[in-house]
Amino acid sequence: MRVDVVASPLRYRRAPLFLLVGLAIVPAVGLLVGQRWLDAEADRYDNSRAAVAELEEGGNSDPIDSSARSIAAAAQRAVLGTSLLDYRRMPEPVADVANADRLAENIEPLFGFLNQTSCFAVSANGADVTTYQGQLPVVPASTLKLVVAAVAIEVLGPDYTFKTTVRIPPVVDGVIDGDVFIVGGGDPLLTADDYPIENDLFPAFNTTSLDVLADAFVANGVERINGTVIGDGSRYDDEFVVEAWGNGVAFNNAGPYGALLVNDSRLRDRSGVQDDPNIAAARELARLLSSRGVRVNNGWASGRASTLAEVIGTVTSAPLGDIVHEMLINSDNNTAEMLLKELGVADSGQGTRVAGLGVIDRTLAEWGIPLDGVQVLDGSGLHPQNAFTCQAMLQVLQRVRGSVVATGLPIAGETGTLRGEFLLSPLVGKLFAKTGALGNPPVDEPPLASKALAGYVDADDGSILEFVLILNDNEIADETYLSLWQVFVERFDSYPAGPDTAELAPR
């Protein structure tokens, strides 16, 4: 079996250290950091010379002072006695290279366990370490939410919010003779306060209260509505699910979703989801009004709000950074699809999946992400024809390192989709990653199933490792992918394993 392995361009293990450092590393790195080093070395020399002079002038024969004087003198001799082209002049980059090389040596033997339809890539502090089939297009599953999150934060900003409003005609003696409207603004986490989300496997958080809008009717003296509660989700189109999703996905794993979505289109005390999110939202609002003593005579429906109706209440979502956090922690499919359409609204005024996908493609290209073989067809990663490469995903991770996207990921053994994973691993609390899982019934036909993991590891020396592992196959058993996840991430705990800067400093 041929294994396509791409090592770091700074690798040195296949030649003696002194030779490669002398012939390759020092000139290459020196050109980049030479000026900064010269300034630093001048400061070190001046400081060490001043320290020696100060000790000599003191004339103190105290053994402690003598020892300090000897140390300072030795430090000065080490700096002055080390050749300008010696690798010890630049211990930090050499240590980084050594540590990356050791990490690659620890990981590459595992490539034999990966098939020809899977890929892997890892970097350290943004510098590539090694890859396996990094340019191979694979099915990314829910790791695609990392891309949606990154682009949404870039285009919309972490403080972006969504507003939902209620509009009514005039109130006369507590009575409204006509329809009332709830108008969706794309908030994916609008939730009734009494909806039992705690029964969900991954309960929503950072939610927006629908009850605020019901309270607005009471505050405006409404006691009876002789018309209908109308749900208006016209900010987005009426594609409530993606038709090309696999069997059993729509209305189960995701959808229906729209610009007006309450409780993920579910109703209190009723099982399943409703077919139309606008009607479901209007019905939930009518229920909350009834519980407040406001009578609704003509039920609920979907439609457009009258421009003659007055806004009497508005509720604003949490900032986008918090919404992205919920999406990544819970792998929230509806939120991902709605953010995709909101990108379309912000860019062109078109709340469609196609418009949002155009923003994704353009932004990735602007970032310089390699797009050969990449095909993004939805926001959730549920589309079986999505394709991404490990190298492209790694570069997305490198770009958003330290942002609200990175800090919003599930934590191994602690939160979200990783709370039950890696419980016996040394990386509990140190690995932050997005999971992905997509089946492929029937198993003997394309597309392939996918089990994916992509994110970061906090190394003991303060470094950050970025990694992507995407397994594709006809069928992937739980014990298979979990074992591979385990053996790969445990190798990350070996970093750093090379010499530290103290060992490489001038002597």
Side-chain angles (χ1 to χ4, degrees), residues 107 111 114 118-123 130-134 138-140 143 146 388-398 433-434 451-456 465-471 485 488-489 492:
I107 289 174
F111 291 168
L114 300 179
S118 300
C119 67
F120 172 82
V122 63
S123 59
T130 188
T131 68
Y132 171 84
Q133 302 194 142
V138 294
V139 181
T143 58
L146 279 165
F388 224 79
T389 68
C390 277
Q391 190 61 45
M393 188 68 73
L394 188 73
Q395 289 186 221
V396 172
L397 289 169
Q398 291 169 350
K434 182 71 195 73
K451 300 291 184 181
L453 190 69
Y456 308 89
L465 307 181
E466 306 92 1
F467 74 93
V468 184
L469 174 60
I470 302 179
L471 309 174
W485 283 8
F488 269 88
V489 303
F492 298 150

mmCIF file of all heavy atoms in Angstrom, residues 107 111 114 118-123 130-134 138-140 143 146 388-398 433-434 451-456 465-471 485 488-489 492:
data_model
loop_
_atom_site.group_PDB
_atom_site.id
_atom_site.type_symbol
_atom_site.label_atom_id
_atom_site.label_comp_id
_atom_site.label_asym_id
_atom_site.label_seq_id
_atom_site.Cartn_x
_atom_site.Cartn_y
_atom_site.Cartn_z
ATOM 1 N N ILE A 107 3.556 10.014 15.131
ATOM 2 C CA ILE A 107 2.254 9.868 14.480
ATOM 3 C C ILE A 107 2.315 9.033 13.207
ATOM 4 O O ILE A 107 1.425 8.216 12.946
ATOM 5 C CB ILE A 107 1.666 11.258 14.159
ATOM 6 C CG1 ILE A 107 1.243 11.957 15.448
ATOM 7 C CG2 ILE A 107 0.474 11.159 13.211
ATOM 8 C CD1 ILE A 107 0.779 13.390 15.236
ATOM 9 N N PHE A 111 -0.287 5.877 10.273
ATOM 10 C CA PHE A 111 -0.899 6.052 8.961
ATOM 11 C C PHE A 111 -1.246 4.714 8.317
ATOM 12 O O PHE A 111 -2.119 4.644 7.449
ATOM 13 C CB PHE A 111 0.023 6.856 8.041
ATOM 14 C CG PHE A 111 0.179 8.299 8.432
ATOM 15 C CD1 PHE A 111 1.155 9.088 7.850
ATOM 16 C CD2 PHE A 111 -0.645 8.879 9.387
ATOM 17 C CE1 PHE A 111 1.307 10.423 8.200
ATOM 18 C CE2 PHE A 111 -0.503 10.214 9.754
ATOM 19 C CZ PHE A 111 0.479 10.980 9.157
ATOM 20 N N LEU A 114 -4.898 3.800 8.407
ATOM 21 C CA LEU A 114 -5.872 4.580 7.649
ATOM 22 C C LEU A 114 -6.009 4.021 6.239
ATOM 23 O O LEU A 114 -5.022 3.611 5.627
ATOM 24 C CB LEU A 114 -5.432 6.043 7.586
ATOM 25 C CG LEU A 114 -5.283 6.766 8.927
ATOM 26 C CD1 LEU A 114 -4.816 8.205 8.702
ATOM 27 C CD2 LEU A 114 -6.588 6.752 9.711
ATOM 28 N N SER A 118 -9.439 8.107 3.500
ATOM 29 C CA SER A 118 -9.406 8.929 4.713
ATOM 30 C C SER A 118 -8.218 9.880 4.654
ATOM 31 O O SER A 118 -7.329 9.728 3.818
ATOM 32 C CB SER A 118 -9.313 8.042 5.963
ATOM 33 O OG SER A 118 -10.422 7.166 6.053
ATOM 34 N N CYS A 119 -8.201 10.851 5.566
ATOM 35 C CA CYS A 119 -7.091 11.804 5.566
ATOM 36 C C CYS A 119 -6.803 12.287 6.984
ATOM 37 O O CYS A 119 -7.629 12.165 7.892
ATOM 38 C CB CYS A 119 -7.373 12.994 4.643
ATOM 39 S SG CYS A 119 -8.725 14.087 5.179
ATOM 40 N N PHE A 120 -5.609 12.860 7.138
ATOM 41 C CA PHE A 120 -5.153 13.375 8.434
ATOM 42 C C PHE A 120 -4.184 14.516 8.179
ATOM 43 O O PHE A 120 -3.422 14.502 7.212
ATOM 44 C CB PHE A 120 -4.463 12.266 9.237
ATOM 45 C CG PHE A 120 -3.796 12.764 10.496
ATOM 46 C CD1 PHE A 120 -4.532 12.961 11.653
ATOM 47 C CD2 PHE A 120 -2.438 13.059 10.507
ATOM 48 C CE1 PHE A 120 -3.932 13.433 12.813
ATOM 49 C CE2 PHE A 120 -1.833 13.532 11.666
ATOM 50 C CZ PHE A 120 -2.579 13.719 12.818
ATOM 51 N N ALA A 121 -4.206 15.496 9.073
ATOM 52 C CA ALA A 121 -3.237 16.600 9.006
ATOM 53 C C ALA A 121 -3.058 17.179 10.398
ATOM 54 O O ALA A 121 -4.008 17.248 11.182
ATOM 55 C CB ALA A 121 -3.692 17.681 8.033
ATOM 56 N N VAL A 122 -1.836 17.590 10.721
ATOM 57 C CA VAL A 122 -1.568 18.205 12.017
ATOM 58 C C VAL A 122 -0.525 19.297 11.850
ATOM 59 O O VAL A 122 0.365 19.216 11.002
ATOM 60 C CB VAL A 122 -1.082 17.148 13.046
ATOM 61 C CG1 VAL A 122 0.229 16.516 12.624
ATOM 62 C CG2 VAL A 122 -0.960 17.752 14.447
ATOM 63 N N SER A 123 -0.672 20.356 12.638
ATOM 64 C CA SER A 123 0.303 21.439 12.662
ATOM 65 C C SER A 123 0.532 21.862 14.109
ATOM 66 O O SER A 123 -0.259 21.545 15.001
ATOM 67 C CB SER A 123 -0.179 22.631 11.825
ATOM 68 O OG SER A 123 -1.422 23.122 12.299
ATOM 69 N N THR A 130 2.840 17.156 9.701
ATOM 70 C CA THR A 130 2.771 16.029 8.783
ATOM 71 C C THR A 130 1.336 15.830 8.339
ATOM 72 O O THR A 130 0.399 16.283 9.020
ATOM 73 C CB THR A 130 3.317 14.746 9.426
ATOM 74 O OG1 THR A 130 3.396 13.709 8.439
ATOM 75 C CG2 THR A 130 2.434 14.262 10.569
ATOM 76 N N THR A 131 1.152 15.183 7.193
ATOM 77 C CA THR A 131 -0.183 14.902 6.684
ATOM 78 C C THR A 131 -0.225 13.513 6.073
ATOM 79 O O THR A 131 0.804 12.951 5.661
ATOM 80 C CB THR A 131 -0.617 15.907 5.595
ATOM 81 O OG1 THR A 131 0.182 15.711 4.426
ATOM 82 C CG2 THR A 131 -0.495 17.336 6.067
ATOM 83 N N TYR A 132 -1.420 12.979 5.994
ATOM 84 C CA TYR A 132 -1.690 11.757 5.252
ATOM 85 C C TYR A 132 -2.838 12.066 4.293
ATOM 86 O O TYR A 132 -3.940 12.390 4.727
ATOM 87 C CB TYR A 132 -2.080 10.619 6.207
ATOM 88 C CG TYR A 132 -2.578 9.370 5.510
ATOM 89 C CD1 TYR A 132 -1.681 8.428 5.020
ATOM 90 C CD2 TYR A 132 -3.943 9.139 5.350
ATOM 91 C CE1 TYR A 132 -2.133 7.281 4.382
ATOM 92 C CE2 TYR A 132 -4.403 7.998 4.717
ATOM 93 C CZ TYR A 132 -3.497 7.069 4.225
ATOM 94 O OH TYR A 132 -3.944 5.932 3.589
ATOM 95 N N GLN A 133 -2.552 12.038 3.009
ATOM 96 C CA GLN A 133 -3.555 12.329 1.986
ATOM 97 C C GLN A 133 -4.287 13.643 2.273
ATOM 98 O O GLN A 133 -5.501 13.740 2.177
ATOM 99 C CB GLN A 133 -4.547 11.169 1.848
ATOM 100 C CG GLN A 133 -3.873 9.863 1.495
ATOM 101 C CD GLN A 133 -4.831 8.778 1.034
ATOM 102 O OE1 GLN A 133 -4.494 8.020 0.121
ATOM 103 N NE2 GLN A 133 -5.999 8.688 1.627
ATOM 104 N N GLY A 134 -3.509 14.651 2.629
ATOM 105 C CA GLY A 134 -4.089 15.924 3.037
ATOM 106 C C GLY A 134 -4.872 16.628 1.950
ATOM 107 O O GLY A 134 -5.737 17.446 2.248
ATOM 108 N N VAL A 138 -12.735 14.502 0.936
ATOM 109 C CA VAL A 138 -13.461 13.506 1.727
ATOM 110 C C VAL A 138 -14.772 14.120 2.211
ATOM 111 O O VAL A 138 -14.978 15.326 2.132
ATOM 112 C CB VAL A 138 -12.616 13.029 2.939
ATOM 113 C CG1 VAL A 138 -11.385 12.270 2.484
ATOM 114 C CG2 VAL A 138 -12.217 14.223 3.812
ATOM 115 N N VAL A 139 -15.657 13.261 2.727
ATOM 116 C CA VAL A 139 -16.918 13.724 3.302
ATOM 117 C C VAL A 139 -16.639 14.236 4.709
ATOM 118 O O VAL A 139 -16.244 13.453 5.581
ATOM 119 C CB VAL A 139 -17.958 12.590 3.332
ATOM 120 C CG1 VAL A 139 -19.276 13.089 3.917
ATOM 121 C CG2 VAL A 139 -18.182 12.018 1.927
ATOM 122 N N PRO A 140 -16.827 15.529 4.991
ATOM 123 C CA PRO A 140 -16.403 16.089 6.277
ATOM 124 C C PRO A 140 -17.407 15.937 7.402
ATOM 125 O O PRO A 140 -17.077 16.167 8.560
ATOM 126 C CB PRO A 140 -16.196 17.570 5.947
ATOM 127 C CG PRO A 140 -17.216 17.842 4.878
ATOM 128 C CD PRO A 140 -17.293 16.578 4.055
ATOM 129 N N THR A 143 -17.969 18.400 10.837
ATOM 130 C CA THR A 143 -16.829 19.308 10.982
ATOM 131 C C THR A 143 -16.987 20.506 10.050
ATOM 132 O O THR A 143 -16.313 21.526 10.231
ATOM 133 C CB THR A 143 -15.493 18.602 10.690
ATOM 134 O OG1 THR A 143 -15.515 18.057 9.367
ATOM 135 C CG2 THR A 143 -15.232 17.495 11.702
ATOM 136 N N LEU A 146 -17.450 24.003 11.455
ATOM 137 C CA LEU A 146 -16.301 24.855 11.753
ATOM 138 C C LEU A 146 -16.138 25.923 10.673
ATOM 139 O O LEU A 146 -15.841 27.090 10.966
ATOM 140 C CB LEU A 146 -15.028 24.012 11.827
ATOM 141 C CG LEU A 146 -14.759 23.256 13.117
ATOM 142 C CD1 LEU A 146 -13.687 22.201 12.896
ATOM 143 C CD2 LEU A 146 -14.333 24.228 14.208
ATOM 144 N N PHE A 388 -14.469 18.065 1.420
ATOM 145 C CA PHE A 388 -13.464 18.979 1.962
ATOM 146 C C PHE A 388 -12.172 18.194 2.094
ATOM 147 O O PHE A 388 -12.172 16.952 2.091
ATOM 148 C CB PHE A 388 -13.914 19.521 3.326
ATOM 149 C CG PHE A 388 -13.690 20.993 3.500
ATOM 150 C CD1 PHE A 388 -14.562 21.905 2.937
ATOM 151 C CD2 PHE A 388 -12.616 21.482 4.219
ATOM 152 C CE1 PHE A 388 -14.373 23.274 3.083
ATOM 153 C CE2 PHE A 388 -12.405 22.839 4.377
ATOM 154 C CZ PHE A 388 -13.293 23.743 3.806
ATOM 155 N N THR A 389 -11.057 18.881 2.194
ATOM 156 C CA THR A 389 -9.782 18.194 2.400
ATOM 157 C C THR A 389 -9.274 18.468 3.810
ATOM 158 O O THR A 389 -9.593 19.492 4.418
ATOM 159 C CB THR A 389 -8.714 18.669 1.385
ATOM 160 O OG1 THR A 389 -8.363 20.034 1.667
ATOM 161 C CG2 THR A 389 -9.235 18.557 -0.042
ATOM 162 N N CYS A 390 -8.465 17.546 4.307
ATOM 163 C CA CYS A 390 -7.894 17.753 5.638
ATOM 164 C C CYS A 390 -6.990 18.973 5.662
ATOM 165 O O CYS A 390 -6.940 19.703 6.655
ATOM 166 C CB CYS A 390 -7.116 16.502 6.076
ATOM 167 S SG CYS A 390 -8.161 15.195 6.792
ATOM 168 N N GLN A 391 -6.262 19.220 4.577
ATOM 169 C CA GLN A 391 -5.370 20.365 4.549
ATOM 170 C C GLN A 391 -6.156 21.670 4.569
ATOM 171 O O GLN A 391 -5.780 22.621 5.262
ATOM 172 C CB GLN A 391 -4.476 20.319 3.308
ATOM 173 C CG GLN A 391 -3.356 21.347 3.315
ATOM 174 C CD GLN A 391 -2.396 21.164 4.481
ATOM 175 O OE1 GLN A 391 -1.987 20.045 4.786
ATOM 176 N NE2 GLN A 391 -2.056 22.250 5.147
ATOM 177 N N ALA A 392 -7.266 21.720 3.824
ATOM 178 C CA ALA A 392 -8.089 22.929 3.819
ATOM 179 C C ALA A 392 -8.707 23.167 5.188
ATOM 180 O O ALA A 392 -8.740 24.299 5.683
ATOM 181 C CB ALA A 392 -9.179 22.819 2.752
ATOM 182 N N MET A 393 -9.202 22.097 5.825
ATOM 183 C CA MET A 393 -9.786 22.246 7.157
ATOM 184 C C MET A 393 -8.728 22.676 8.165
ATOM 185 O O MET A 393 -8.995 23.491 9.061
ATOM 186 C CB MET A 393 -10.430 20.928 7.592
ATOM 187 C CG MET A 393 -11.248 21.015 8.876
ATOM 188 S SD MET A 393 -12.761 22.004 8.690
ATOM 189 C CE MET A 393 -13.768 20.887 7.702
ATOM 190 N N LEU A 394 -7.513 22.145 8.028
ATOM 191 C CA LEU A 394 -6.432 22.531 8.932
ATOM 192 C C LEU A 394 -6.140 24.021 8.812
ATOM 193 O O LEU A 394 -5.921 24.711 9.810
ATOM 194 C CB LEU A 394 -5.174 21.717 8.622
ATOM 195 C CG LEU A 394 -4.021 21.885 9.614
ATOM 196 C CD1 LEU A 394 -4.350 21.177 10.927
ATOM 197 C CD2 LEU A 394 -2.721 21.341 9.051
ATOM 198 N N GLN A 395 -6.167 24.545 7.591
ATOM 199 C CA GLN A 395 -5.889 25.969 7.407
ATOM 200 C C GLN A 395 -7.011 26.848 7.964
ATOM 201 O O GLN A 395 -6.755 27.955 8.443
ATOM 202 C CB GLN A 395 -5.647 26.265 5.927
ATOM 203 C CG GLN A 395 -4.330 25.709 5.430
ATOM 204 C CD GLN A 395 -4.000 26.113 4.007
ATOM 205 O OE1 GLN A 395 -3.513 25.304 3.218
ATOM 206 N NE2 GLN A 395 -4.219 27.353 3.664
ATOM 207 N N VAL A 396 -8.240 26.354 7.931
ATOM 208 C CA VAL A 396 -9.331 27.071 8.598
ATOM 209 C C VAL A 396 -9.075 27.118 10.094
ATOM 210 O O VAL A 396 -9.217 28.166 10.742
ATOM 211 C CB VAL A 396 -10.689 26.415 8.292
ATOM 212 C CG1 VAL A 396 -11.785 27.044 9.138
ATOM 213 C CG2 VAL A 396 -11.034 26.549 6.809
ATOM 214 N N LEU A 397 -8.675 25.991 10.669
ATOM 215 C CA LEU A 397 -8.372 25.937 12.098
ATOM 216 C C LEU A 397 -7.222 26.874 12.457
ATOM 217 O O LEU A 397 -7.247 27.552 13.491
ATOM 218 C CB LEU A 397 -8.027 24.508 12.512
ATOM 219 C CG LEU A 397 -9.178 23.509 12.535
ATOM 220 C CD1 LEU A 397 -8.640 22.088 12.699
ATOM 221 C CD2 LEU A 397 -10.155 23.830 13.658
ATOM 222 N N GLN A 398 -6.202 26.904 11.618
ATOM 223 C CA GLN A 398 -5.076 27.796 11.877
ATOM 224 C C GLN A 398 -5.518 29.255 11.865
ATOM 225 O O GLN A 398 -5.055 30.057 12.680
ATOM 226 C CB GLN A 398 -3.991 27.563 10.819
ATOM 227 C CG GLN A 398 -3.287 26.216 10.935
ATOM 228 C CD GLN A 398 -2.419 25.911 9.729
ATOM 229 O OE1 GLN A 398 -2.469 26.602 8.712
ATOM 230 N NE2 GLN A 398 -1.613 24.859 9.824
ATOM 231 N N ALA A 433 -12.481 20.069 20.191
ATOM 232 C CA ALA A 433 -12.660 19.603 18.815
ATOM 233 C C ALA A 433 -14.118 19.492 18.429
ATOM 234 O O ALA A 433 -15.010 19.329 19.270
ATOM 235 C CB ALA A 433 -11.966 18.250 18.627
ATOM 236 N N LYS A 434 -14.359 19.583 17.127
ATOM 237 C CA LYS A 434 -15.678 19.346 16.539
ATOM 238 C C LYS A 434 -15.727 17.924 16.021
ATOM 239 O O LYS A 434 -14.825 17.488 15.303
ATOM 240 C CB LYS A 434 -15.927 20.333 15.389
ATOM 241 C CG LYS A 434 -17.302 20.171 14.750
ATOM 242 C CD LYS A 434 -18.393 20.656 15.684
ATOM 243 C CE LYS A 434 -19.766 20.180 15.221
ATOM 244 N NZ LYS A 434 -19.987 18.747 15.456
ATOM 245 N N LYS A 451 -16.635 9.597 9.799
ATOM 246 C CA LYS A 451 -16.420 9.867 11.218
ATOM 247 C C LYS A 451 -15.239 10.822 11.292
ATOM 248 O O LYS A 451 -14.141 10.498 10.833
ATOM 249 C CB LYS A 451 -16.111 8.592 12.009
ATOM 250 C CG LYS A 451 -17.212 7.547 11.958
ATOM 251 C CD LYS A 451 -18.455 8.000 12.717
ATOM 252 C CE LYS A 451 -19.508 6.893 12.732
ATOM 253 N NZ LYS A 451 -20.742 7.301 13.426
ATOM 254 N N ALA A 452 -15.465 11.994 11.846
ATOM 255 C CA ALA A 452 -14.447 13.041 11.763
ATOM 256 C C ALA A 452 -14.215 13.714 13.111
ATOM 257 O O ALA A 452 -15.116 13.767 13.959
ATOM 258 C CB ALA A 452 -14.858 14.085 10.720
ATOM 259 N N LEU A 453 -13.018 14.231 13.278
ATOM 260 C CA LEU A 453 -12.645 14.965 14.484
ATOM 261 C C LEU A 453 -11.646 16.028 14.070
ATOM 262 O O LEU A 453 -10.637 15.735 13.422
ATOM 263 C CB LEU A 453 -12.017 14.016 15.512
ATOM 264 C CG LEU A 453 -11.776 14.571 16.914
ATOM 265 C CD1 LEU A 453 -13.101 14.814 17.631
ATOM 266 C CD2 LEU A 453 -10.925 13.598 17.734
ATOM 267 N N ALA A 454 -11.925 17.285 14.433
ATOM 268 C CA ALA A 454 -11.036 18.382 14.030
ATOM 269 C C ALA A 454 -11.019 19.449 15.112
ATOM 270 O O ALA A 454 -12.070 19.860 15.600
ATOM 271 C CB ALA A 454 -11.502 18.987 12.703
ATOM 272 N N GLY A 455 -9.833 19.882 15.493
ATOM 273 C CA GLY A 455 -9.761 20.916 16.522
ATOM 274 C C GLY A 455 -8.348 21.176 16.991
ATOM 275 O O GLY A 455 -7.398 21.196 16.190
ATOM 276 N N TYR A 456 -8.200 21.328 18.314
ATOM 277 C CA TYR A 456 -6.948 21.784 18.904
ATOM 278 C C TYR A 456 -6.586 20.964 20.146
ATOM 279 O O TYR A 456 -7.460 20.406 20.806
ATOM 280 C CB TYR A 456 -7.050 23.253 19.340
ATOM 281 C CG TYR A 456 -7.552 24.187 18.277
ATOM 282 C CD1 TYR A 456 -8.921 24.433 18.126
ATOM 283 C CD2 TYR A 456 -6.664 24.842 17.421
ATOM 284 C CE1 TYR A 456 -9.389 25.306 17.145
ATOM 285 C CE2 TYR A 456 -7.128 25.706 16.446
ATOM 286 C CZ TYR A 456 -8.490 25.934 16.319
ATOM 287 O OH TYR A 456 -8.945 26.788 15.349
ATOM 288 N N LEU A 465 -1.645 22.672 19.132
ATOM 289 C CA LEU A 465 -1.633 21.774 17.988
ATOM 290 C C LEU A 465 -2.984 21.844 17.296
ATOM 291 O O LEU A 465 -4.016 21.760 17.961
ATOM 292 C CB LEU A 465 -1.353 20.329 18.429
ATOM 293 C CG LEU A 465 -0.108 20.090 19.279
ATOM 294 C CD1 LEU A 465 0.022 18.603 19.591
ATOM 295 C CD2 LEU A 465 1.144 20.599 18.571
ATOM 296 N N GLU A 466 -2.974 22.013 15.993
ATOM 297 C CA GLU A 466 -4.198 21.967 15.199
ATOM 298 C C GLU A 466 -4.210 20.625 14.460
ATOM 299 O O GLU A 466 -3.178 20.217 13.914
ATOM 300 C CB GLU A 466 -4.246 23.106 14.179
ATOM 301 C CG GLU A 466 -4.055 24.494 14.788
ATOM 302 C CD GLU A 466 -2.622 24.971 14.815
ATOM 303 O OE1 GLU A 466 -1.731 24.221 14.327
ATOM 304 O OE2 GLU A 466 -2.361 26.089 15.324
ATOM 305 N N PHE A 467 -5.362 19.960 14.408
ATOM 306 C CA PHE A 467 -5.390 18.642 13.772
ATOM 307 C C PHE A 467 -6.735 18.381 13.116
ATOM 308 O O PHE A 467 -7.767 18.935 13.508
ATOM 309 C CB PHE A 467 -5.095 17.543 14.797
ATOM 310 C CG PHE A 467 -6.233 17.279 15.744
ATOM 311 C CD1 PHE A 467 -7.181 16.301 15.468
ATOM 312 C CD2 PHE A 467 -6.371 18.037 16.897
ATOM 313 C CE1 PHE A 467 -8.246 16.078 16.329
ATOM 314 C CE2 PHE A 467 -7.434 17.818 17.766
ATOM 315 C CZ PHE A 467 -8.377 16.839 17.473
ATOM 316 N N VAL A 468 -6.713 17.517 12.101
ATOM 317 C CA VAL A 468 -7.927 17.066 11.414
ATOM 318 C C VAL A 468 -7.762 15.581 11.118
ATOM 319 O O VAL A 468 -6.748 15.177 10.539
ATOM 320 C CB VAL A 468 -8.156 17.825 10.085
ATOM 321 C CG1 VAL A 468 -9.479 17.390 9.458
ATOM 322 C CG2 VAL A 468 -8.122 19.325 10.289
ATOM 323 N N LEU A 469 -8.745 14.794 11.527
ATOM 324 C CA LEU A 469 -8.761 13.364 11.219
ATOM 325 C C LEU A 469 -10.149 13.027 10.687
ATOM 326 O O LEU A 469 -11.138 13.097 11.421
ATOM 327 C CB LEU A 469 -8.458 12.529 12.471
ATOM 328 C CG LEU A 469 -8.581 11.007 12.327
ATOM 329 C CD1 LEU A 469 -7.615 10.483 11.266
ATOM 330 C CD2 LEU A 469 -8.332 10.317 13.668
ATOM 331 N N ILE A 470 -10.242 12.689 9.390
ATOM 332 C CA ILE A 470 -11.532 12.383 8.770
ATOM 333 C C ILE A 470 -11.462 10.989 8.172
ATOM 334 O O ILE A 470 -10.676 10.726 7.255
ATOM 335 C CB ILE A 470 -11.901 13.418 7.690
ATOM 336 C CG1 ILE A 470 -11.944 14.828 8.287
ATOM 337 C CG2 ILE A 470 -13.258 13.066 7.076
ATOM 338 C CD1 ILE A 470 -12.275 15.926 7.277
ATOM 339 N N LEU A 471 -12.269 10.105 8.721
ATOM 340 C CA LEU A 471 -12.341 8.720 8.262
ATOM 341 C C LEU A 471 -13.545 8.561 7.341
ATOM 342 O O LEU A 471 -14.665 8.916 7.715
ATOM 343 C CB LEU A 471 -12.475 7.772 9.455
ATOM 344 C CG LEU A 471 -11.469 7.940 10.598
ATOM 345 C CD1 LEU A 471 -11.824 7.025 11.752
ATOM 346 C CD2 LEU A 471 -10.057 7.671 10.104
ATOM 347 N N TRP A 485 -9.452 7.389 16.845
ATOM 348 C CA TRP A 485 -9.415 8.687 17.506
ATOM 349 C C TRP A 485 -8.483 8.639 18.708
ATOM 350 O O TRP A 485 -7.657 9.532 18.907
ATOM 351 C CB TRP A 485 -10.820 9.091 17.966
ATOM 352 C CG TRP A 485 -11.729 9.583 16.901
ATOM 353 C CD1 TRP A 485 -11.516 9.577 15.549
ATOM 354 C CD2 TRP A 485 -13.018 10.174 17.097
ATOM 355 N NE1 TRP A 485 -12.596 10.109 14.902
ATOM 356 C CE2 TRP A 485 -13.527 10.488 15.807
ATOM 357 C CE3 TRP A 485 -13.787 10.460 18.212
ATOM 358 C CZ2 TRP A 485 -14.780 11.085 15.633
ATOM 359 C CZ3 TRP A 485 -15.035 11.058 18.040
ATOM 360 C CH2 TRP A 485 -15.527 11.366 16.766
ATOM 361 N N PHE A 488 -4.624 8.267 17.884
ATOM 362 C CA PHE A 488 -4.061 9.472 17.281
ATOM 363 C C PHE A 488 -3.912 10.590 18.313
ATOM 364 O O PHE A 488 -2.841 11.199 18.425
ATOM 365 C CB PHE A 488 -4.927 9.944 16.107
ATOM 366 C CG PHE A 488 -4.506 9.381 14.781
ATOM 367 C CD1 PHE A 488 -5.008 8.175 14.339
ATOM 368 C CD2 PHE A 488 -3.593 10.050 13.990
ATOM 369 C CE1 PHE A 488 -4.629 7.647 13.112
ATOM 370 C CE2 PHE A 488 -3.192 9.538 12.762
ATOM 371 C CZ PHE A 488 -3.712 8.317 12.318
ATOM 372 N N VAL A 489 -4.965 10.875 19.045
ATOM 373 C CA VAL A 489 -4.886 12.019 19.959
ATOM 374 C C VAL A 489 -3.925 11.763 21.110
ATOM 375 O O VAL A 489 -3.330 12.700 21.643
ATOM 376 C CB VAL A 489 -6.279 12.413 20.495
ATOM 377 C CG1 VAL A 489 -7.224 12.731 19.357
ATOM 378 C CG2 VAL A 489 -6.880 11.341 21.397
ATOM 379 N N PHE A 492 -0.583 13.079 20.496
ATOM 380 C CA PHE A 492 -0.427 14.524 20.672
ATOM 381 C C PHE A 492 0.127 14.850 22.057
ATOM 382 O O PHE A 492 0.769 15.886 22.246
ATOM 383 C CB PHE A 492 -1.761 15.239 20.488
ATOM 384 C CG PHE A 492 -2.373 15.086 19.128
ATOM 385 C CD1 PHE A 492 -3.742 15.104 18.964
ATOM 386 C CD2 PHE A 492 -1.572 14.920 18.012
ATOM 387 C CE1 PHE A 492 -4.310 14.961 17.702
ATOM 388 C CE2 PHE A 492 -2.126 14.770 16.749
ATOM 389 C CZ PHE A 492 -3.497 14.798 16.592
#
